[in-house]
Amino acid sequence: MMRADKRSNDEMRPISFQADFQLHPIASVMASFGATRVLCAISISESVPRWRKEQQLPGGWLTAEYQMLPGATSPRGEREVSRGKISGRSAEIQRLIGRSLRAVLELSKLPEITIHVDCDVIDADGGTRCAAISGAGLALELACKRLQKQGVLSQWPLRQRVAAVSVGMLQDEAILDLCYEEDAAAAVDMNVVMCSSGRLVEVQASGEEASFSEEELAKMMGLAKKGLRQIFDASEELLAKGLL
Amino acid sequence: MMRADKRSNDEMRPISFQADFQLHPIASVMASFGATRVLCAISISESVPRWRKEQQLPGGWLTAEYQMLPGATSPRGEREVSRGKISGRSAEIQRLIGRSLRAVLELSKLPEITIHVDCDVIDADGGTRCAAISGAGLALELACKRLQKQGVLSQWPLRQRVAAVSVGMLQDEAILDLCYEEDAAAAVDMNVVMCSSGRLVEVQASGEEASFSEEELAKMMGLAKKGLRQIFDASEELLAKGLL
Amino acid sequence: MMRADKRSNDEMRPISFQADFQLHPIASVMASFGATRVLCAISISESVPRWRKEQQLPGGWLTAEYQMLPGATSPRGEREVSRGKISGRSAEIQRLIGRSLRAVLELSKLPEITIHVDCDVIDADGGTRCAAISGAGLALELACKRLQKQGVLSQWPLRQRVAAVSVGMLQDEAILDLCYEEDAAAAVDMNVVMCSSGRLVEVQASGEEASFSEEELAKMMGLAKKGLRQIFDASEELLAKGLL
Amino acid sequence: MMRADKRSNDEMRPISFQADFQLHPIASVMASFGATRVLCAISISESVPRWRKEQQLPGGWLTAEYQMLPGATSPRGEREVSRGKISGRSAEIQRLIGRSLRAVLELSKLPEITIHVDCDVIDADGGTRCAAISGAGLALELACKRLQKQGVLSQWPLRQRVAAVSVGMLQDEAILDLCYEEDAAAAVDMNVVMCSSGRLVEVQASGEEASFSEEELAKMMGLAKKGLRQIFDASEELLAKGLL
Amino acid sequence: MMRADKRSNDEMRPISFQADFQLHPIASVMASFGATRVLCAISISESVPRWRKEQQLPGGWLTAEYQMLPGATSPRGEREVSRGKISGRSAEIQRLIGRSLRAVLELSKLPEITIHVDCDVIDADGGTRCAAISGAGLALELACKRLQKQGVLSQWPLRQRVAAVSVGMLQDEAILDLCYEEDAAAAVDMNVVMCSSGRLVEVQASGEEASFSEEELAKMMGLAKKGLRQIFDASEELLAKGLL
Amino acid sequence: MMRADKRSNDEMRPISFQADFQLHPIASVMASFGATRVLCAISISESVPRWRKEQQLPGGWLTAEYQMLPGATSPRGEREVSRGKISGRSAEIQRLIGRSLRAVLELSKLPEITIHVDCDVIDADGGTRCAAISGAGLALELACKRLQKQGVLSQWPLRQRVAAVSVGMLQDEAILDLCYEEDAAAAVDMNVVMCSSGRLVEVQASGEEASFSEEELAKMMGLAKKGLRQIFDASEELLAKGLL
């Protein structure tokens, strides 16, 4: 099988992270996985959700939101505000982003603040949730550095880095980092969220009108780990610039 | 570690499926996993969603909805209609139920109908989404039998049976079929949806404020397969009654 | 006129009340009037609505909600949460249930709590609001007994029992306890809510595209009283079991 | 007991109906019951609801809406559009208005049109739903006259006139046409909708935190009939002007 | 060009202001510009919006709402509550009304109250927002007089009067106070809000599918000032009655 | 008075337009007015709104939507989808953008298509609606060029270019192109939308808690025309690249 863009099955698309794309957020990162681009921004509000107060949970909170710009897809996507509510798909993705980041964040080491993570898809070509998690992880690290300097944080709250990648089964072959065309045709779609230590945070494998064997699951997991290494390497670029 | 109800780590709670709990649906199944009870009902409407017509996709469609009765939890849960929209959690679960059932259903073998799957949680004690998938799978099979007899279906559309089970990591031990108390305390929560052939349909492993190793993933997967066998066995009960 | 199920005009369908159908609520009752089944559950929250605090009204509050499961009717009913709001019909019924129960409840004898009454229709075959009021009344009594034992209630707050029944005019004859088919065909539809003392709580008689005379009103009222006696008798069953 | 405005217990407040208050509707009537004023307007649209077409029901349809202007009460009432949905109270009232008018209207004698009845409360001082029904009934009659002249109606669709009045029990006395102050204090609140022939259309008696005897019901019904006669008489005024 | 109602291009329709149309508001004015009638009511609530408290802004606040009765237009307009939200057009107009009145009101001279301005269109024939601003301005003045007498206001908060008028370009001629028919046909539509001193508060000129020159803008402005003088004169009527 | 960024009162901030920022839209332009950045994208759908069909209006339609990313402001702005509806401010702005573009677009020269204009604010520092109109105007021109090449357009539908600028009164001086800090402090805020021919499309001058004289209006208009010339000049850059 020849992939649409001639990549080999275990090859990522070009990855890049551009820091400080926006003016106002504490930190923002434009994450690119090939043609997919997601703008990830970190803002702070000085309170925690009521349920945390009521349960007297110490520390802060982190919450994520995910939306696509209407022009991020072709044909144009309707704005969710026009239908009055966020779609099931967006709700599911923003819950995943939040859980993934909280897995590496020690909430008890935060003061009583909420960290808002906004992931807005500028261009969608497959893998938007993975680009969002990977970019948001870096933006969060960058924000923590700055909040530490400003004295808002008195302890370092991040345990390690986090990133995400998609893998799938297409024509009985396992492939890494699916573009939209591949994603639409794949029999199985899998997302893996991993810490820089190699420990897993989320594994979601899903067959739409299809099923898969344990061997296929293992093959996809192997590819995912390979891709995640490349994503962690790409983040070194920001490190080299003294940002992280 | 001693489990709350003294089960061993690889032991399921008592499972049962009661057919035809409701009067009007083509088929309904009350699925019980221990104290968790989910009422799963199948209804038919004679059309398919507009997007399927516009894309000229042949056959029918299946869609699922999931809600908890307010009294299914303690403290009482607010009705989602009171907030004007379904929660992110419910949206995610009903998408999972729909994908799981469509994985074993050949839509092209259906006439132009929509199969509605309604999963309403009567009592929640952990594992409601797994009870819902397992119960809905049986209700769907029962409904197909009846629709075939009525001549609505001219071909048998189900490839095999489907069921789901939850596993998790609690105090560094892998455990099967978590009750609510265990679920709330677990570091990792995993749901596995599998066909009767042993092929996988969905694997979702998720660490809330935690991570897990590949070895732990493998251990949980082993337990899940063991539990799923028991669920498939429990469905034989309905078969024995001549219902399936 | 021969009734659909061969009952005489002044004959109720078989009535039964099954206590503690659900696990978590303080008390729950599954009320059956023939094929109609409504699950009525009582939960408590430890506050009262803001308007009661602002008006400095002493004691507690009771509020009711009513919904049908989608599979309670044929064809399947759309979930109200899908349309983003509760229907006019449900709003009207839940207001009626709340008023009916408050008529026998001395709010000033409650501590500062809200009693939530949830009536969920499992199977609808006419008379769901009457089954809901009758079942909820018993669930409320059972809950008060338990709350008294737990020391939550220091005074007995219920003045008497309450129950409801439907009557109607069909082909110029007054009939008792209409099933769905009769309800749809009736020229006049009437619901009577009564205390065990015989005093009335609500009388709602309504002609859809029809009118009725005072004589007909009196005839229907006579039948209603007869039916209500049978409902009060049926509740003795629970009493006999030591539940009330 | 001395009533707030010194009326005797069986005395209506001054009633008046002012025709053609608005410019655009086919007919409109400002109905005044004492200080209560409700503007009732009739408009037409040239189609019927989808459910009537699907069920192939012949003729037309009538639907009613009821709202209060924010300044109709003191303190000011919040607009229902601000909360995004109509209140339970308004939903209940507009369903009552619709049923009451349809009881005297032969839908099968209408062409395929929908008659929209808009009841907007300008000033509220108790009895707004009764003023709305009484005023809307006259506006409907006036509209039918004009639609007949225009040739839109080929048959006269109204069977007779309809009107409504409120009665109640206050300090153990039955009183007619309650003003707001009396309504708020009454133990029992009852609305009676009647045709000019004396046949009943709706009877709704309701005790909020109270109950009532059959004798009280009969007393209230007697007062209601007396009041309804006065309302029918007041409509003669419009007749005298050649409007009806 | 002959105007629809034979007015000259610089001629206003008959203007009138009727005070105290409603029972409960502190003050209300029915403003008529020809066949256009808008009911403007002033109510008070004893608090200010949270954002003013949080920003520690002194004094009170004024907010406006604007809606059309369904029967104010032909064909009948759908109620905005039925669609669950206020339309873009209404949102824009009520923001304009609020800004216009706040321009002449010294918020810092109010106690901590919110003044609610409700503008409900009874009959629409063009210029409803201008009639609303002009009528609401007078109702506000009347309300302030009464609040001063009651001791609620300790200082006079109004700097001067405010009024609004519409002008437009139709068939290359500037015309004053457009009726609906002219408004629908005009190439340019302009609204001018002015203080009694002649200072401007809002100028909104807008070409729908058209543009206009600076000369045309000047001509329209000239007409507007002429019209506004007449509106200020018409308010003297209320003054003469000792109301202002 | 010294302006925040040392500009003279009649000086624009640096303006730039970057074409084709997004992958999927027919054309997109990132418009920068100083630190303000708005992404303007053009997409097409092959139908027109129902009201245009019903009124049998020939040609196509253009509609605009405007939203801010949450991170476009500090503090972070809540997403409008979270509140379930678009704000009054956004509704007003997107209506203005739509009218402004339709003023230079001959709808009758379009085929039966809808042009969707999406303006998403990346960074807000005052003047977002003006940057949106100016950027969207260029994106529309670019899109029309491409649609003409593709044969979708058979006639050139744009009459001329359109742009917008903000002016205001601050400390009694008229200033051009206000940044956020100036906008918040200004007594009068004015937006002028103009064609490249110099004809006006929209003039909106507004005093929040203030008023202004005709002389001030004239001064602001003079500055606006100066600024608009510079915006039209800046668009030549894209022209020089052969894009327009």
Side-chain angles (χ1 to χ4, degrees):
Chain A
M1 184 187 71
M2 172 66 90
R3 295 180 70 174
D5 50 4
K6 299 186 184 148
R7 282 185 285 154
S8 61
N9 286 356
D10 65 349
E11 194 181 339
M12 294 287 296
R13 292 176 289 179
I15 305 161
S16 78
F17 299 105
Q18 181 188 348
D20 292 325
F21 187 82
Q22 275 182 299
L23 183 66
H24 295 291
I26 298 178
S28 65
V29 165
M30 177 74 92
S32 307
F33 280 28
T36 288
R37 287 196 303 163
V38 183
L39 178 52
C40 309
I42 308 292
S43 311
I44 300 292
S45 65
E46 294 186 359
S47 68
V48 291
R50 200 159 37 152
W51 61 267
R52 285 192 74 83
K53 278 189 204 162
E54 285 170 1
Q55 298 177 32
Q56 298 189 304
L57 296 166
W61 182 243
L62 178 145
T63 183
E65 297 186 4
Y66 167 98
Q67 286 279 293
M68 292 229 226
L69 293 200
T73 56
S74 177
R76 175 185 182 270
E78 195 191 355
R79 276 176 209 272
E80 302 197 338
V81 73
S82 307
R83 277 169 295 166
K85 58 181 176 186
I86 157 171
S87 69
R89 179 184 174 275
S90 292
E92 195 168 320
I93 292 177
Q94 65 192 24
R95 283 161 57 89
L96 173 65
I97 299 170
R99 282 199 312 271
S100 297
L101 297 181
R102 286 192 300 269
V104 294
L105 181 67
E106 287 183 77
L107 294 173
S108 62
K109 292 196 173 161
L110 296 179
E112 201 173 308
I113 60 174
T114 294
I115 300 178
H116 297 272
V117 180
D118 285 294
C119 298
D120 286 272
V121 180
I122 305 294
D123 293 310
D125 186 29
T128 60
R129 78 189 71 188
C130 296
I133 292 168
S134 305
L138 292 171
L140 177 60
E141 186 173 339
L142 189 45
C144 285
K145 272 215 147 178
R146 290 170 181 171
L147 290 167
Q148 200 179 32
K149 267 191 200 156
Q150 291 168 23
V152 175
L153 296 182
S154 54
Q155 314 173 68
W156 185 246
L158 291 170
R159 294 194 191 94
Q160 31 188 328
R161 275 184 202 150
V162 68
V165 81
S166 77
V167 280
M169 293 302 302
L170 180 60
Q171 294 171 28
D172 295 320
E173 295 183 30
I175 55 174
L176 177 62
D177 187 25
L178 288 70
C179 68
Y180 175 74
E181 192 189 328
E182 292 170 335
D183 191 55
V188 185
D189 181 36
M190 176 169 174
N191 294 289
V192 179
V193 186
M194 199 176 78
C195 301
S196 42
S197 69
R199 283 180 71 85
L200 297 161
V201 170
E202 290 270 342
V203 174
Q204 296 193 336
S206 167
E208 173 78 33
E209 302 174 31
S211 58
F212 50 100
S213 66
E214 278 191 82
E215 292 68 38
E216 289 168 335
L217 183 66
K219 254 192 225 164
M220 290 189 287
M221 181 63 87
L223 281 190
K225 286 195 290 183
K226 195 166 168 188
L228 285 158
R229 278 296 136 219
Q230 291 177 49
I231 301 172
F232 285 119
D233 289 349
S235 66
E236 297 296 315
E237 206 185 322
L238 294 182
L239 182 65
K241 290 186 188 154
L243 285 163
L244 298 184
Chain B
M1 185 188 68
M2 173 66 90
R3 295 181 71 174
D5 50 5
K6 299 186 184 150
R7 279 186 288 153
S8 62
N9 287 355
D10 65 349
E11 194 181 340
M12 291 290 295
R13 293 176 288 180
I15 305 162
S16 78
F17 299 105
Q18 180 187 350
D20 292 325
F21 187 83
Q22 276 182 298
L23 181 68
H24 295 292
I26 298 178
S28 65
V29 166
M30 178 73 92
S32 307
F33 280 29
T36 288
R37 286 198 303 164
V38 184
L39 177 52
C40 310
I42 307 292
S43 311
I44 300 291
S45 66
E46 293 185 0
S47 66
V48 291
R50 195 157 43 151
W51 60 267
R52 284 192 75 85
K53 279 188 203 162
E54 284 171 0
Q55 296 177 35
Q56 299 189 303
L57 295 167
W61 182 242
L62 178 147
T63 182
E65 297 188 4
Y66 167 98
Q67 287 279 292
M68 291 230 227
L69 292 200
T73 58
S74 176
R76 175 184 182 271
E78 194 191 357
R79 273 175 211 274
E80 303 198 337
V81 72
S82 307
R83 279 169 294 168
K85 59 180 176 189
I86 157 171
S87 70
R89 179 183 174 276
S90 292
E92 196 168 319
I93 292 176
Q94 66 193 23
R95 285 162 56 89
L96 172 65
I97 299 170
R99 282 198 311 272
S100 297
L101 296 181
R102 286 192 299 269
V104 294
L105 180 66
E106 287 183 77
L107 295 173
S108 62
K109 291 195 175 161
L110 297 178
E112 201 173 308
I113 60 174
T114 294
I115 299 178
H116 297 271
V117 180
D118 285 292
C119 298
D120 286 90
V121 181
I122 304 295
D123 292 310
D125 186 28
T128 60
R129 79 190 70 189
C130 296
I133 291 168
S134 305
L138 291 172
L140 178 60
E141 188 173 337
L142 190 44
C144 285
K145 270 215 151 179
R146 290 169 181 173
L147 290 168
Q148 201 179 30
K149 267 191 201 156
Q150 291 169 21
V152 174
L153 295 183
S154 52
Q155 315 173 68
W156 186 247
L158 291 171
R159 293 195 192 93
Q160 33 189 325
R161 274 183 202 151
V162 67
V165 81
S166 79
V167 281
M169 294 301 303
L170 181 60
Q171 294 172 32
D172 295 322
E173 295 184 28
I175 54 173
L176 177 63
D177 188 24
L178 289 68
C179 69
Y180 176 73
E181 193 188 327
E182 292 170 334
D183 189 55
V188 184
D189 181 37
M190 179 169 169
N191 293 290
V192 179
V193 187
M194 199 176 78
C195 303
S196 41
S197 68
R199 285 180 68 85
L200 297 160
V201 169
E202 291 270 341
V203 174
Q204 296 193 336
S206 165
E208 174 77 32
E209 301 175 32
S211 58
F212 51 101
S213 66
E214 278 191 82
E215 289 69 39
E216 290 169 334
L217 183 66
K219 256 191 224 163
M220 290 188 287
M221 181 64 86
L223 282 189
K225 285 194 290 182
K226 197 167 165 186
L228 285 158
R229 278 294 134 221
Q230 292 177 48
I231 301 172
F232 285 119
D233 288 350
S235 65
E236 298 296 316
E237 206 185 319
L238 295 182
L239 183 64
K241 291 187 190 152
L243 285 163
L244 297 184
Chain C
M1 184 187 69
M2 173 66 89
R3 293 182 72 175
D5 50 5
K6 300 186 183 148
R7 281 186 285 154
S8 62
N9 286 355
D10 64 350
E11 193 179 341
M12 291 289 295
R13 293 176 289 179
I15 304 163
S16 78
F17 299 105
Q18 180 188 349
D20 293 324
F21 187 82
Q22 275 182 299
L23 182 67
H24 295 291
I26 298 178
S28 65
V29 166
M30 177 74 92
S32 306
F33 279 30
T36 288
R37 286 197 303 162
V38 183
L39 177 53
C40 310
I42 307 291
S43 312
I44 299 291
S45 65
E46 293 185 359
S47 67
V48 291
R50 197 155 43 150
W51 62 266
R52 284 191 75 84
K53 280 189 200 160
E54 284 171 1
Q55 295 177 35
Q56 300 190 303
L57 296 167
W61 182 242
L62 177 146
T63 183
E65 297 187 4
Y66 167 97
Q67 287 278 295
M68 291 230 227
L69 292 201
T73 56
S74 177
R76 174 185 182 269
E78 195 190 357
R79 274 176 208 273
E80 302 197 338
V81 72
S82 307
R83 277 169 296 167
K85 58 181 178 188
I86 157 173
S87 69
R89 179 183 174 276
S90 292
E92 197 167 319
I93 292 176
Q94 66 192 24
R95 283 161 59 90
L96 172 65
I97 299 170
R99 281 199 313 272
S100 297
L101 297 181
R102 287 193 299 270
V104 294
L105 180 67
E106 286 183 77
L107 294 173
S108 62
K109 291 196 174 161
L110 296 179
E112 200 174 310
I113 58 173
T114 294
I115 299 178
H116 297 271
V117 180
D118 285 293
C119 299
D120 286 272
V121 180
I122 305 295
D123 293 310
D125 185 30
T128 61
R129 79 190 70 189
C130 296
I133 291 167
S134 305
L138 291 172
L140 178 60
E141 187 172 339
L142 189 46
C144 285
K145 270 216 148 176
R146 291 170 181 173
L147 290 168
Q148 201 180 30
K149 269 192 199 156
Q150 292 168 20
V152 175
L153 296 182
S154 53
Q155 312 174 70
W156 185 246
L158 290 171
R159 292 195 192 94
Q160 33 188 325
R161 276 188 199 147
V162 68
V165 80
S166 78
V167 281
M169 293 301 302
L170 180 60
Q171 294 171 31
D172 294 320
E173 296 184 27
I175 55 175
L176 176 63
D177 187 27
L178 289 68
C179 67
Y180 176 74
E181 193 188 327
E182 292 170 335
D183 189 56
V188 184
D189 181 37
M190 178 170 172
N191 294 291
V192 178
V193 187
M194 199 176 79
C195 302
S196 41
S197 69
R199 283 181 69 85
L200 297 160
V201 170
E202 290 271 340
V203 173
Q204 296 193 337
S206 168
E208 174 78 31
E209 302 174 31
S211 58
F212 50 100
S213 66
E214 279 191 83
E215 290 69 37
E216 289 168 334
L217 183 66
K219 256 191 223 164
M220 290 188 287
M221 181 63 88
L223 282 189
K225 286 194 290 183
K226 195 168 169 187
L228 284 158
R229 278 293 136 223
Q230 291 177 49
I231 300 172
F232 285 119
D233 290 349
S235 65
E236 297 297 315
E237 204 186 322
L238 294 182
L239 183 64
K241 291 188 189 151
L243 285 162
L244 298 184
Chain D
M1 185 188 69
M2 173 65 90
R3 295 181 70 176
D5 50 4
K6 298 185 184 149
R7 281 185 286 153
S8 61
N9 288 355
D10 65 349
E11 193 180 342
M12 292 289 294
R13 293 175 289 179
I15 304 162
S16 77
F17 300 105
Q18 179 188 350
D20 293 324
F21 188 81
Q22 276 183 297
L23 182 66
H24 295 292
I26 297 179
S28 66
V29 165
M30 178 74 93
S32 306
F33 279 30
T36 288
R37 286 198 303 163
V38 183
L39 176 53
C40 310
I42 307 292
S43 311
I44 300 291
S45 64
E46 293 186 1
S47 66
V48 291
R50 199 158 39 151
W51 62 266
R52 284 191 74 84
K53 279 187 203 163
E54 284 170 1
Q55 297 176 34
Q56 299 189 302
L57 297 165
W61 182 242
L62 177 146
T63 184
E65 297 187 3
Y66 167 97
Q67 287 280 292
M68 292 231 227
L69 292 199
T73 57
S74 177
R76 175 186 181 269
E78 193 191 357
R79 275 177 209 271
E80 302 198 336
V81 73
S82 307
R83 279 170 293 167
K85 58 182 177 187
I86 161 172
S87 69
R89 179 183 174 275
S90 292
E92 196 168 319
I93 293 176
Q94 65 193 25
R95 285 161 55 88
L96 173 65
I97 299 170
R99 282 198 311 272
S100 298
L101 296 181
R102 286 193 299 268
V104 294
L105 180 67
E106 287 182 77
L107 294 173
S108 62
K109 291 196 175 162
L110 296 179
E112 200 174 307
I113 60 173
T114 295
I115 299 178
H116 297 271
V117 179
D118 286 292
C119 298
D120 287 89
V121 179
I122 304 295
D123 293 311
D125 186 30
T128 61
R129 79 190 70 188
C130 296
I133 291 168
S134 305
L138 291 172
L140 177 61
E141 185 172 340
L142 189 44
C144 286
K145 269 217 150 176
R146 290 170 181 171
L147 289 168
Q148 200 179 30
K149 265 191 202 158
Q150 291 168 22
V152 174
L153 296 183
S154 54
Q155 313 173 70
W156 185 247
L158 290 170
R159 292 193 192 94
Q160 32 189 325
R161 274 184 203 151
V162 68
V165 82
S166 78
V167 281
M169 293 301 303
L170 182 60
Q171 294 171 31
D172 296 320
E173 296 185 26
I175 56 174
L176 176 63
D177 188 25
L178 289 70
C179 68
Y180 175 74
E181 194 188 327
E182 293 170 335
D183 189 55
V188 185
D189 182 35
M190 177 169 172
N191 293 290
V192 179
V193 186
M194 199 175 78
C195 302
S196 41
S197 68
R199 283 179 70 85
L200 297 160
V201 170
E202 292 269 340
V203 174
Q204 296 193 336
S206 165
E208 175 78 33
E209 302 174 32
S211 58
F212 50 98
S213 65
E214 280 191 81
E215 291 67 38
E216 289 169 336
L217 184 67
K219 256 192 223 162
M220 289 189 287
M221 181 63 87
L223 281 190
K225 286 194 290 182
K226 194 166 169 188
L228 284 158
R229 278 295 134 223
Q230 291 178 49
I231 300 172
F232 286 118
D233 288 350
S235 66
E236 298 294 316
E237 205 184 322
L238 293 183
L239 183 65
K241 289 187 189 153
L243 284 164
L244 298 184
Chain E
M1 184 188 69
M2 173 65 91
R3 294 181 71 175
D5 51 4
K6 299 187 184 147
R7 280 184 289 153
S8 62
N9 286 355
D10 65 349
E11 194 180 340
M12 291 291 293
R13 292 176 289 179
I15 305 162
S16 77
F17 300 105
Q18 179 188 349
D20 293 325
F21 187 82
Q22 276 181 298
L23 182 67
H24 296 291
I26 299 178
S28 66
V29 166
M30 178 73 93
S32 306
F33 280 29
T36 288
R37 287 197 303 163
V38 183
L39 176 53
C40 310
I42 307 292
S43 311
I44 299 291
S45 64
E46 292 184 3
S47 67
V48 291
R50 197 159 39 153
W51 62 265
R52 285 191 74 84
K53 280 188 201 160
E54 284 171 0
Q55 297 178 34
Q56 300 189 304
L57 296 166
W61 181 243
L62 177 146
T63 184
E65 296 187 5
Y66 168 97
Q67 287 278 293
M68 292 230 227
L69 293 198
T73 56
S74 177
R76 177 185 180 268
E78 194 192 357
R79 275 176 208 272
E80 302 198 339
V81 73
S82 307
R83 277 169 296 166
K85 58 182 178 187
I86 156 172
S87 69
R89 178 182 175 276
S90 292
E92 195 168 320
I93 292 176
Q94 65 192 26
R95 285 161 56 88
L96 172 66
I97 298 170
R99 282 199 311 272
S100 297
L101 296 181
R102 286 192 299 268
V104 294
L105 180 67
E106 287 183 78
L107 294 173
S108 62
K109 292 194 175 162
L110 296 179
E112 201 174 307
I113 59 173
T114 294
I115 300 177
H116 296 271
V117 180
D118 285 293
C119 299
D120 287 90
V121 180
I122 304 295
D123 293 310
D125 186 30
T128 61
R129 78 190 70 189
C130 295
I133 292 168
S134 305
L138 291 171
L140 178 60
E141 187 172 340
L142 189 46
C144 286
K145 270 215 148 178
R146 291 169 180 173
L147 290 168
Q148 201 180 30
K149 267 191 201 157
Q150 293 169 19
V152 174
L153 296 182
S154 55
Q155 314 172 67
W156 185 246
L158 291 170
R159 292 194 192 94
Q160 32 189 324
R161 275 185 201 150
V162 67
V165 81
S166 78
V167 281
M169 295 299 305
L170 181 61
Q171 294 172 29
D172 296 321
E173 295 184 29
I175 56 175
L176 177 62
D177 188 25
L178 289 69
C179 68
Y180 175 73
E181 190 188 329
E182 292 170 335
D183 190 54
V188 185
D189 181 37
M190 180 169 170
N191 293 289
V192 179
V193 186
M194 199 175 79
C195 302
S196 42
S197 69
R199 284 181 69 86
L200 297 160
V201 169
E202 290 270 341
V203 174
Q204 296 192 337
S206 168
E208 174 78 31
E209 301 173 32
S211 59
F212 51 99
S213 66
E214 280 192 81
E215 292 67 39
E216 289 169 335
L217 183 65
K219 256 191 223 163
M220 290 189 287
M221 181 63 87
L223 281 190
K225 287 195 290 183
K226 197 167 166 187
L228 285 158
R229 277 296 133 222
Q230 291 178 48
I231 300 171
F232 286 118
D233 288 350
S235 65
E236 297 296 316
E237 206 185 321
L238 294 182
L239 183 65
K241 291 186 189 153
L243 285 163
L244 299 184
Chain F
M1 185 189 68
M2 171 67 89
R3 295 179 72 174
D5 52 4
K6 297 185 185 150
R7 280 185 287 152
S8 61
N9 286 357
D10 65 349
E11 194 181 339
M12 292 290 293
R13 293 176 289 180
I15 306 161
S16 78
F17 299 105
Q18 181 188 347
D20 293 324
F21 187 82
Q22 276 181 299
L23 183 67
H24 295 292
I26 299 179
S28 66
V29 165
M30 177 74 92
S32 307
F33 279 31
T36 288
R37 286 198 302 163
V38 184
L39 177 51
C40 310
I42 307 292
S43 311
I44 300 291
S45 65
E46 291 184 3
S47 67
V48 291
R50 197 157 41 151
W51 60 267
R52 285 192 73 83
K53 279 189 203 160
E54 284 171 0
Q55 296 177 34
Q56 300 190 303
L57 295 166
W61 182 244
L62 178 146
T63 182
E65 297 186 4
Y66 166 99
Q67 286 279 292
M68 292 231 227
L69 293 198
T73 57
S74 177
R76 175 183 181 272
E78 194 191 357
R79 275 177 210 271
E80 303 197 337
V81 73
S82 307
R83 279 170 294 166
K85 59 181 177 186
I86 160 172
S87 69
R89 180 184 173 274
S90 291
E92 195 168 320
I93 293 177
Q94 66 193 24
R95 285 160 56 90
L96 172 65
I97 299 171
R99 283 199 310 273
S100 297
L101 295 181
R102 286 193 298 269
V104 294
L105 179 67
E106 288 183 77
L107 294 173
S108 62
K109 292 194 173 164
L110 296 179
E112 201 173 307
I113 60 174
T114 294
I115 298 177
H116 297 270
V117 179
D118 285 292
C119 299
D120 286 273
V121 180
I122 306 294
D123 293 310
D125 186 29
T128 61
R129 77 190 72 188
C130 296
I133 292 168
S134 305
L138 291 172
L140 178 60
E141 187 173 339
L142 189 44
C144 286
K145 270 215 148 178
R146 290 169 181 173
L147 289 169
Q148 201 179 30
K149 267 192 201 155
Q150 291 169 20
V152 175
L153 297 182
S154 53
Q155 314 174 66
W156 185 246
L158 291 170
R159 291 192 192 95
Q160 34 188 322
R161 273 185 203 150
V162 68
V165 81
S166 79
V167 282
M169 294 301 303
L170 181 60
Q171 293 170 31
D172 295 321
E173 295 183 29
I175 56 174
L176 177 62
D177 187 26
L178 288 70
C179 68
Y180 175 74
E181 192 190 328
E182 292 170 334
D183 189 55
V188 185
D189 182 37
M190 178 170 171
N191 293 289
V192 179
V193 186
M194 197 175 81
C195 302
S196 41
S197 69
R199 284 180 70 87
L200 297 160
V201 169
E202 290 270 341
V203 174
Q204 296 194 335
S206 167
E208 174 78 31
E209 301 173 32
S211 58
F212 51 98
S213 67
E214 279 191 82
E215 291 68 40
E216 289 169 335
L217 183 67
K219 255 193 223 162
M220 290 189 287
M221 182 61 90
L223 281 189
K225 287 194 290 181
K226 198 169 164 185
L228 284 158
R229 278 294 134 222
Q230 290 178 48
I231 299 171
F232 285 119
D233 288 350
S235 66
E236 297 295 316
E237 208 185 319
L238 293 183
L239 182 65
K241 290 186 189 156
L243 286 164
L244 300 183

